[in-house]
Amino acid sequence: MTDIQRVFLSLMAGLFTLSLAAPSVQAQGAKPAGASTLASEIDKLAAAVEPELLEWRRYLHQRPELSNRELETAKYIADRLKSFGLEPKTAVARTGVVAILKGGRPGPAVALRADMDGLPVREEVDVPFASKVSSKYDGQDVGVMHACGHDTHMAILLATARILTRVQDRLPGTVTFIFQPAEEGAPANERPAGAELMVKEGVLANPKVEAIFGLHVFANVPAGHLTYRSGSFMAAADTFEIIVKGRQTHGSMPWRGVDPVLVGSQIVTALQTIVSRSVDITRAPAVVTVGQFQAGVRFNIIPDTARLVGTIRTFDEQVQNDIHARIKRIAEGIASGAGATVEVTITKNNPITSNDAALTARMLPTLERVAPGKVRESELITGAEDYAFYQKQVPGLFFFLGITPAAEVGRAPANHSPFFFVDESALLTGVRALAHLTADYLSTAAAR
């Protein structure tokens, strides 16, 4: 045997060994055959839909509606979905809209969610499509603005629906498009609302959804960048109310009464020791904030009562329960020592938004393909999201889409500000992210 023959046989043996050892593309979780063609088609359709994406966003931005009052918003969304060939169901969870797209091949069901409601904020952004809407909120005359970007979420999901209906015959599975009202919170007499009510009314049940995806635009993340976090991502949000009952007296004779203002002030101060001295912040952060202190009507009258209202933010259920108990114990102890009484009410609102670890790991390559070099892990976010109610039912992935121009990062007005500004160049990245997450999940699930 010549040297050339030996080299040839050695090379062939090595290639044969590698072919046996290497896992298949499908086993590695890569896109199955034909998926790259579908991905290319999605990107072409995304580029084509961008003008409408901006038109829809600006129309909705000019016409915000408060939680559970999104009637015209719902009609606009339903009309667009009908124009795509879908049959939307309206009045879900009061004003929500749901549409189902059945793919051309059998496969699992996934859901995509956008929220719909605006905020009682008077817009101060100088754009031609700024909101001039006014309404009533909690008995007050207020401006109404999409100050948290829900207009962009709706436009992004409409564009995603338009794209996926165009490739319907190639989708192995079903997609549920969820347009959800009242994410910002409904009046107490209208609860449950939002995502919680959507779940109760069965939006994940028929068809039975296997996974859910959602996004939120976020200020001070560069436009077009994506941030995510596996596991706990956004905080649980609870509300507490403390009614302090003292005894009214003239301000010049405080010894004849029990001052609820003083007792309330001591409670506010003592509550700050919960996080600073009682919570193990090496495990997870927590926040206890008193945002309202109401008492009295006149400068020289010590009133009968004072009212404190605040928020609790936690990332761990054990810590959450411990903080609840401490608030009650501190308020009652201080009041008792001063001869007053208290009524403490704690209401659980949104659970912890927690991304399923396996789903996040599986879909991260898709996000990185959509925004190469622009995907990073997020810090914990003490804001809250009722998207968590979906995640308590099925595995979910929720991520942020940056919408701040690079030069403004770190100093741009935050979500909920009257100066909240969206760099619209980022929106197409959101569309591509949702469309590719859907196609990749369905394709790989069908391949398995």
Side-chain angles (χ1 to χ4, degrees), residues 11-34:
L11 286 171
M12 291 300 293
L15 289 171
F16 179 71
T17 302
L18 285 171
S19 69
L20 288 177
S24 67
V25 169
Q26 182 177 320
Q28 289 178 328
K31 294 177 292 182

Side-chain angles (χ1 to χ4, degrees), residues 148 183 216 218 232-238 287 311-315 350-353 379-386 388 398 400 415-416:
C148 204
E183 188 278 329
H216 203 299
F218 206 65
S232 295
F233 182 19
M234 301 181 72
D238 306 324
V287 176
T311 186
I312 307 160
R313 303 300 169 105
T314 53
F315 294 91
N350 294 335
I352 299 164
T353 301
E379 65 278 8
L380 288 169
I381 303 297
T382 51
E385 242 289 346
D386 75 351
F398 192 70
F400 286 167
N415 295 52
H416 288 213

